[in-house]
């Protein structure tokens, strides 16, 4: 019996053997297609030329978007990954091409974005010789990648690529970099057909679920009088929006989001009580310190969410659901850790929790929301006079998009305002740089977001400062005809830093006054239409014109120079010390 | 509870795949937190192809636990344990180079060396190299003693440690090689320790 089976295996193996002899570059591109990749963001150069040469023949199967800077490629890949749920793919050359990836890798690492970057590297025999455009990319990228690997032989490419996609997309996702020496790209190797990876011995994508903790969590929740849910991007990454909604609706628990969790349930959902953190909503911050059971789901208690840790939710029992064991007890001590994929743990929990409503407790959130509306929000989103505010622009935008657009934001005041006030009906529609706070993220990320969600309106909301960090990607938008709508909220300042200087440094405005080019003329030079407005009565029409315009459009809106984002939990303060003005 | 706040020596044992670059990945987890690695040893383990790092740091239990989780999160790391000195059998080896004439002249030196469990590895006309294995205080003590006799050179190895309660890695590895998780999972040491933390 045994011998027979072995013989049969052999013939199978022989049949499967060497479907073709291909170059390392061709093996790579075949692998990408087999992984379901349709779009690559990249920039060629010496050390990656063999791959680009092969790409010439794959043009019909792989769309390559030529960016204007490799940082742009990483953010575009991030935007793509965030809207589509797929792995973003980047090509870059060795040396400066590869070092230009660092910001995007760091951003993807801290925001758990699945991404595979392929970099060219000098010939293997030149490694370590300070060859032209040689940089030690593996060591430079180690702290900012989930995994990285240098390939020096074509025969490794298939297996390493499969591993790269597996690692990038499973468990807590993250960026992976594969550095391929030029000789390996050129070298011929036998190709056996692509085998996806589904197991790496030393890698456990998700910790195994322990039932007793689910039971303990359910018991805590069922006994709770003032339970409060904090949810983060883990729900989106785990594709667990339905499971989350079912849990929240059955348990009747008020739920607030981190900036990356926005959209996991719609903004209008009656149990969605708003945003957490430094510029989050009033109720969620204050009531964090009043709840009796805090249920954190797929979020990591970032310091921008918790404020001062030793005064954070000390009265509460904490249940933490997370796929990454290293997050448990990292910042906030948990009472019950529920490790595992929330797509699996949430339904188990839902089954055990009692169907409830928490009307009086929920009413507290509503009361705080009303106070916030009266004392803070109303003036921001419905000002009757004076210069334009950022909030009213976002508010008008909501009326036109009905909350169905993908909103991509840069970093600063406009980001906080957009995330606070934009309406999100759908998951994967708030694309922003959360953990790293990378200025320059939005324009390239919007390009990727559009490729990831071609049927959606993609609106980038950017500050005058951040726009000038990656504005060369207007060239990508022009060349690849990317239908993104760009709103620049121009306050003529590095607004967020100015706000801090006003509030905490006695208005000593140190290098926050920033001048800008004529953005509309700049867009025109890239053959992108646009206009600048500064009057209240123009806003609605201008936004409508932008949204109706076929193709990319840039709308510059002059807003109040010295406006502040409130509420605010000043740094070093507890969440209960949140200021409304 | 005390061990939670007080700093003490911890022996971190890391089982890994054998891959280039992993040492850097492990080292930066410490350097990023500005933690000083006091001793680091890499060696094969009892399982073919599985490497074992022994790392010693002086820190609080809380910090060590967080570091251990970050280490275990690395793709090529299979398993991480951390133990206090009481939980491990550990040794460090030291070499001492001393002028041979001094030793030949002074009979007391030989006695001293024997007392410290040192043995000669090389004896030449000009110098003799002794080896001693033991705990840090022991090898340190001998340095002190030999200083008086013109100690020329001293070097000590990294620490190697074996966990008293460990059953080795053969059976663990089987779990890792399994593609499907088992039904009953109580595998994780942190999870198991949670009982102490749960304070309802
Ligand atoms: C790459 C980078 N450099 C610096 C910062 C620090 N920073 C955070 S917000 C901000 C101001 C942003 O100004 P702008 O883009 O005009 O947006 P605004 O705050 O005015 O809306 C700065 C400089 C950053 N987040 N990222």
């Amino acid at each position: 019996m045994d011998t027979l089976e072995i013989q049969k295996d052999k013939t199978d193996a022989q049949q499967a053997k060497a479907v073709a002899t291909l170059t390392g570059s061709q093996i790579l591109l075949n692998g990408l297609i087999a992984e379901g990749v349709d779009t690559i963001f990249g920039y060629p150069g010496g050390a990656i030329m063999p791959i680009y040469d092969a790409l010439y023949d794959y043009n019909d199967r792989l769309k390559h978007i030529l960016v204007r800077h490799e940082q742009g490629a990483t953010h575009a890949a991030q935007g793509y990954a965030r809207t589509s749920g797929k792995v973003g793919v980047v090509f870059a050359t060795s040396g400066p091409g590869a070092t230009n990836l660092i910001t995007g890798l760091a951003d993807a690492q801290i925001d758990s974005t699945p991404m595979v970057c392929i970099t060219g590297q000098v010939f293997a025999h030149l490694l370590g010789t300070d060859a032209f455009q040689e940089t030690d990319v593996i060591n430079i990228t180690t702290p900012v990648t989930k995994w990285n690997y240098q390939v020096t032989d074509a025969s490794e490419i298939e297996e390493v690529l499969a591993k790269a996609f597996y690692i990038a997309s499973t468990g807590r996702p993250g960026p992976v970099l594969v550095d391929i020496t030029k000789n390996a790209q050129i070298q011929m190797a036998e190709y056996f057909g692509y085998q996806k990876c589904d197991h790496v011995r030393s890698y456990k994508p998700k910790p195994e679920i322990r039932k007793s903790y689910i039971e303990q969590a359910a018991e805590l929740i069922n006994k709770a009088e003032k339970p409060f849910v904090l949810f983060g991007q883990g729900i989106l990454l785990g594709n667990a929006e339905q499971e989350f909604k079912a849990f929240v609706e059955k348990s009747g628990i008020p739920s607030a989001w981190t900036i990356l969790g926005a959209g996991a349930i719609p903004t209008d959902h009656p149990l969605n009580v708003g945003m957490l953190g430094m510029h989050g909503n009033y109720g969620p911050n204050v009531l964090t310190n009043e709840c009796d059971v805090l249920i954190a789901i797929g979020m990591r208690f970032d310091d921008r969410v918790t404020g001062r840790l030793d005064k954070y939710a000390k009265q509460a029992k904490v249940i933490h659901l997370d796929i990454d064991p290293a997050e448990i007890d990292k910042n906030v001590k948990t009472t019950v850790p529920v490790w595992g994929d929330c797509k699996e743990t949430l339904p188990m929990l839902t089954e055990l929790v009692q169907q409830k409503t928490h009307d009086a407790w929920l009413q507290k959130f509503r009361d705080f929301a009303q106070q916030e509306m009266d004392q803070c929000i109303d003036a921001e989103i419905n000002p009757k006079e004076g210069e334009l505010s950022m909030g009213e622009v976002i508010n008008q935008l909501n009326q036109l998009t009905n909350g169905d657009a993908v909103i991509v934001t840069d970093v600063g005041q406009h980001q906080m305002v957009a995330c606070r006030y934009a309406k999100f009906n759908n998951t994967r529609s708030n694309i922003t740089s959360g953990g790293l706070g990378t200025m320059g993220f939005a324009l390239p990320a919007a390009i990727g977001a559009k490729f990831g969600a071609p049927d959606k309106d993609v609106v980038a909301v950017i500050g005058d400062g951040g726009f000038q960090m990656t504005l060369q990607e207007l060239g990508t938008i022009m060349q690849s005809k990317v239908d993104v709508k760009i709103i620049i909220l121009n306050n003529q300042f590095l607004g967020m830093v100015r706000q801090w200087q006003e509030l905490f440094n006695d208005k000593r405005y140190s290098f926050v006054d920033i001048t800008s080019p004529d953005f509309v003329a700049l867009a025109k030079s890239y053959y992108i239409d646009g206009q600048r407005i500064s009057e209240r009565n123009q806003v609605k029409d201008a936004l409508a014109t932008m949204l109706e315009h076929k193709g990319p459009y840039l709308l510059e809106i002059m807003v109040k120079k010295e406006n502040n984002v409130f509420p605010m939990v000043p740094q070093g303060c507890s969440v209960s010390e949140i200021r409304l003005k | 509870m005390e061990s939670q706040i007080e700093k003490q020596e911890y022996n971190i044992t890391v089982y890994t795949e054998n891959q280039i670059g992993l040492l850097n990945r492990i080292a930066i987890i410490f350097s990023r937190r500005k933690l000083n690695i006091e001793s680091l040893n890499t060696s094969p383990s009892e399982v073919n192809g599985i490497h074992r790092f022994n790392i010693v740091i002086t820190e609080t239990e809380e910090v060590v636990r967080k570091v251990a989780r970050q280490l275990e999160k690395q793709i090529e790391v299979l398993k991480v344990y951390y133990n206090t000195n009481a939980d491990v059998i550990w040794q460090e080896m030291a070499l001492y180079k001393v002028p041979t004439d001094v030793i030949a002249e002074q009979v007391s030196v030989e006695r001293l060396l024997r007392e410290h469990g040192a043995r000669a590895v090389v004896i030449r006309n000009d110098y003799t190299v002794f080896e001693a294995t033991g705990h840090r205080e022991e090898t340190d003590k001998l340095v002190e003693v030999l200083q008086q006799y013109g100690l020329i050179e001293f070097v000590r190895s990294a620490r190697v440690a074996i966990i008293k309660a460990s059953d080795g890695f053969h059976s663990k590895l089987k779990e890792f090689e399994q593609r499907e998780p088992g039904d009953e999972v109580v595998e994780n040491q942190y999870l198991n320790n949670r009982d102490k933390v749960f304070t309802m």
Side-chain angles (χ1 to χ4, degrees):
Chain A
M1 252 324 265
D2 275 346
T3 37
L4 258 182
E5 283 213 355
I6 289 164
Q7 274 179 351
K8 181 176 160 284
D9 279 358
K10 252 195 188 153
T11 27
D12 280 354
Q14 276 159 356
Q15 276 169 5
K17 200 162 185 186
V19 172
T21 306
L22 301 176
T23 65
S25 302
Q26 290 169 325
I27 294 174
L28 176 82
L29 298 181
N30 280 340
L32 292 176
I33 292 166
E35 287 290 352
V37 173
D38 51 27
T39 311
I40 298 161
F41 303 93
Y43 208 93
I48 198 170
M49 279 190 63
I51 291 174
Y52 271 86
D53 183 58
L55 190 59
Y56 193 76
D57 297 324
Y58 283 71
N59 224 349
D60 50 337
R61 283 159 289 170
L62 287 168
K63 189 173 352 164
H64 176 278
I65 306 302
L66 180 69
V67 294
R68 293 299 181 269
H69 185 290
E70 290 86 352
Q71 181 188 350
T74 56
H75 296 326
Q78 288 183 279
Y80 174 88
R82 296 266 278 270
T83 52
S84 70
K86 291 167 63 177
V87 177
V89 179
V90 171
F91 283 178
T93 193
S94 69
T99 57
N100 278 346
L101 304 180
I102 303 297
T103 304
L105 285 168
D107 196 288
Q109 172 84 339
I110 202 163
D111 279 351
S112 310
T113 310
M115 175 157 90
V116 170
C117 295
I118 308 290
T119 46
Q121 180 57 280
V122 301
F123 284 89
H125 71 272
L126 293 176
L127 286 170
T129 66
D130 301 324
F132 178 64
Q133 293 192 329
E134 183 195 0
T135 302
D136 183 355
V137 173
I138 292 297
N139 277 312
I140 288 186
T141 58
T142 294
V144 290
T145 50
K146 185 174 173 188
W147 186 68
N148 59 9
Y149 190 86
Q150 183 172 66
V151 171
T152 50
D153 192 289
S155 64
E156 296 176 287
I157 289 178
E158 188 218 315
E159 198 187 326
V160 169
L161 189 72
K163 210 171 150 182
F165 273 85
Y166 176 61
I167 291 170
S169 61
T170 54
R172 180 174 181 174
V176 167
L177 181 136
V178 179
D179 192 39
I180 309 180
T181 57
K182 200 167 177 182
N183 59 294
Q185 301 169 31
I186 300 165
Q187 195 188 348
M188 305 293 290
E190 286 183 335
Y191 182 61
F192 302 94
Y194 191 78
Q195 276 260 310
K196 277 200 182 187
C197 174
D198 66 355
H199 179 76
V200 172
R201 180 169 75 176
S202 54
Y203 167 56
K204 281 216 174 95
K206 13 178 153 164
E208 285 120 6
I209 298 162
R210 195 158 168 197
K211 194 105 198 278
S212 61
Y213 288 127
I214 306 250
E215 288 160 4
Q216 286 170 9
E219 196 187 322
L220 274 184
I221 293 170
N222 287 337
K223 280 197 202 134
E225 293 185 347
K226 295 184 283 180
F228 183 26
V229 165
L230 317 179
F231 62 96
Q233 195 193 195
I235 294 175
L236 280 63
L237 293 170
N239 296 314
E241 292 88 350
Q242 288 310 318
E243 290 79 1
F244 176 63
K245 189 157 169 268
F247 167 73
V248 168
E249 288 177 352
K250 183 172 180 196
S251 61
I253 305 177
S255 305
W257 38 276
T258 70
I259 194 168
L260 294 183
I265 50 172
T267 308
D268 287 347
H269 191 286
L271 290 166
N272 184 341
V273 293
M275 174 171 150
L276 294 163
M278 187 174 267
H279 292 291
N281 291 113
Y282 193 33
N285 275 302
V286 173
L287 295 173
T288 296
N289 280 356
E290 281 182 33
C291 66
D292 56 359
V293 175
L294 196 68
I295 305 130
I297 308 177
M299 57 83 75
R300 58 186 179 85
F301 293 108
D302 181 86
D303 55 272
R304 283 292 192 268
V305 161
T306 63
R308 203 173 144 166
L309 259 187
D310 61 357
K311 291 190 175 171
Y312 183 79
K314 286 293 171 198
Q315 79 296 342
K317 302 259 192 288
V318 178
I319 300 169
H320 193 173
L321 285 75
D322 208 287
I323 199 166
D324 180 358
E327 289 301 340
I328 306 285
D329 290 345
K330 188 181 82 177
N331 297 333
V332 171
K333 251 282 172 278
T334 45
T335 318
V336 183
V338 182
W339 295 5
D341 183 344
C342 62
K343 181 134 188 124
E344 294 160 26
T345 52
L346 276 173
M348 292 167 84
L349 199 53
T350 306
E351 204 180 302
L352 298 181
V353 298
Q354 291 155 8
Q355 176 100 39
K356 266 196 187 164
T357 55
H358 293 276
D359 297 330
W361 173 233
L362 190 59
Q363 188 54 45
K364 274 200 139 180
F365 284 89
R366 303 222 166 103
D367 293 345
F368 275 105
Q370 192 58 52
Q371 278 185 56
E372 185 180 344
M373 176 57 87
D374 296 342
Q375 294 178 42
C376 170
I377 298 177
D378 193 46
E380 176 65 31
I381 65 172
N382 296 312
K384 302 284 178 289
E385 53 188 26
E387 291 162 289
L388 287 174
S389 73
M390 293 181 176
E392 69 183 305
V393 174
I394 303 300
N395 194 34
Q396 292 283 345
L397 185 66
N398 284 340
Q399 325 262 317
L400 296 168
T401 63
N402 285 321
D404 286 326
V406 170
I407 307 289
V408 186
T409 52
D410 211 73
V411 172
Q413 291 185 313
H414 65 280
Q415 174 191 35
M416 292 300 125
V417 170
C419 290
R420 281 177 57 80
Y421 299 117
K423 196 173 150 200
F424 299 110
N425 294 339
N426 308 302
T427 185
R428 297 189 171 281
S429 49
N430 176 35
I431 313 299
T432 195
S433 167
L436 204 65
T438 306
M439 281 174 73
F441 174 85
L443 190 64
I447 296 171
K450 184 68 187 177
F451 282 103
D455 299 332
K456 294 240 169 102
D457 285 332
V458 173
V459 182
V461 180
I462 315 183
D464 46 318
F467 186 80
Q468 293 187 66
M469 281 211 177
T470 47
L471 61 76
Q472 69 275 25
E473 300 307 336
L474 286 175
T476 310
I477 293 170
M478 164 185 71
Q479 183 169 1
S480 297
K481 304 189 171 53
V482 194
D483 184 3
V484 290
K485 315 300 183 195
I486 304 157
I487 299 175
I488 298 179
L489 294 177
N490 189 347
N491 55 9
Q492 302 168 65
F493 269 120
L494 297 174
M496 187 55 95
V497 180
R498 187 211 54 75
Q499 172 170 348
W500 284 49
Q501 290 178 347
E502 176 187 334
L503 298 176
F504 312 117
N505 296 356
D506 298 329
K507 262 198 172 188
R508 287 152 53 88
Y509 288 166
S510 182
F511 301 100
V512 289
D513 191 332
I514 187 168
T515 52
S516 293
D518 180 337
F519 289 124
V520 176
L522 183 77
K524 287 254 155 67
S525 75
Y526 284 96
Y527 308 101
I528 295 169
D529 273 338
Q531 67 168 317
R532 173 189 305 112
I533 60 162
S534 52
E535 299 303 320
R536 186 150 291 121
N537 58 17
Q538 297 173 294
V539 175
K540 194 166 188 177
D541 285 349
L543 287 170
T545 305
M546 174 190 82
L547 290 170
E548 281 156 22
H549 184 82
K550 283 208 174 13
Y553 192 90
L554 185 144
L555 175 60
E556 180 185 7
I557 304 182
M558 304 307 292
V559 295
K560 192 169 167 191
K561 281 188 77 173
E562 297 181 55
N563 204 358
N564 290 335
V565 186
F566 280 111
M568 178 174 195
V569 181
Q571 200 168 35
C573 291
S574 137
V575 286
S576 6
E577 297 171 79
I578 184 168
R579 291 165 55 176
L580 280 177
K581 54 181 85 161
Chain B
M1 207 53 226
E2 237 173 65
S3 67
Q4 295 252 327
I5 10 175
E6 254 175 42
K7 287 191 183 182
Q8 59 171 316
E9 263 185 12
Y10 279 91
N11 298 272
I12 303 176
T13 308
V14 187
Y15 286 98
T16 72
E17 300 286 355
N18 178 17
Q19 193 183 307
I20 294 169
L22 188 56
L23 176 60
N24 184 27
R25 218 171 242 287
I26 287 176
I28 60 181
I29 289 174
F30 293 88
S31 54
R32 177 178 176 195
R33 290 170 181 73
K34 227 167 182 251
L35 298 175
N36 188 32
I37 295 181
E38 283 159 32
S39 161
L40 184 151
N41 187 79
T42 90
S43 80
S45 71
E46 63 277 12
V47 182
N48 199 6
I50 301 288
H51 272 237
R52 171 179 183 144
F53 289 67
N54 274 149
I55 301 168
V56 181
I57 66 170
T58 301
E59 257 308 329
T60 61
E61 207 255 350
E62 165 135 6
V63 170
V64 174
R65 184 179 358 104
K66 286 179 187 173
V67 165
R69 288 184 187 179
Q70 292 293 338
L71 288 168
E72 204 159 85
K73 192 167 148 173
Q74 305 310 311
I75 304 294
E76 277 97 3
V77 171
L78 289 115
K79 195 83 197 111
V80 179
Y81 301 97
Y82 62 89
N83 299 94
T84 59
N85 287 345
D87 297 335
V88 298
I89 315 282
W90 63 274
Q91 295 280 280
E92 293 167 353
M93 194 192 78
L95 296 176
Y96 309 79
K97 188 199 273 182
V98 197
T100 302
D101 48 359
V102 179
I103 301 180
E105 275 163 31
Q106 307 208 15
V107 200
S108 58
V109 178
E110 206 194 314
R111 202 192 65 231
L112 264 174
L113 289 166
R114 212 168 315 121
E115 272 173 15
H116 285 90
R119 62 180 187 91
V121 198
V122 168
I123 305 175
R124 293 181 17 159
N125 282 342
D126 45 351
Y127 65 78
T128 300
V129 174
F130 293 99
E131 175 260 294
T133 300
H135 282 194
R136 173 118 359 138
E137 316 83 69
E138 297 165 341
T139 50
D140 273 354
K141 189 86 199 141
L142 193 52
V143 174
E144 235 171 76
V145 171
L146 290 177
Q147 288 296 9
Q148 308 160 35
Y149 300 103
L151 178 64
I152 303 167
E153 207 178 328
F154 164 74
V155 63
R156 180 168 46 218
S157 76
R159 175 180 302 186
V160 291
I162 273 188
I163 304 167
K164 288 179 183 167
S166 167
D167 296 328
F169 209 67
H170 277 290
S171 55
K172 261 271 146 340
L173 189 67
K174 288 224 170 65
E175 289 169 24
F176 279 95
E177 278 167 347
Q178 266 171 14
R179 283 168 176 257
E180 296 299 322
D183 298 334
E184 184 63 60
V185 182
V186 280
E187 183 264 326
N188 204 292
Q189 58 173 27
Y190 306 118
L191 271 179
N192 293 339
N193 285 337
R194 289 303 307 199
D195 300 339
K196 292 183 209 141
V197 184
F198 187 65
T199 49
M200 255 193 78

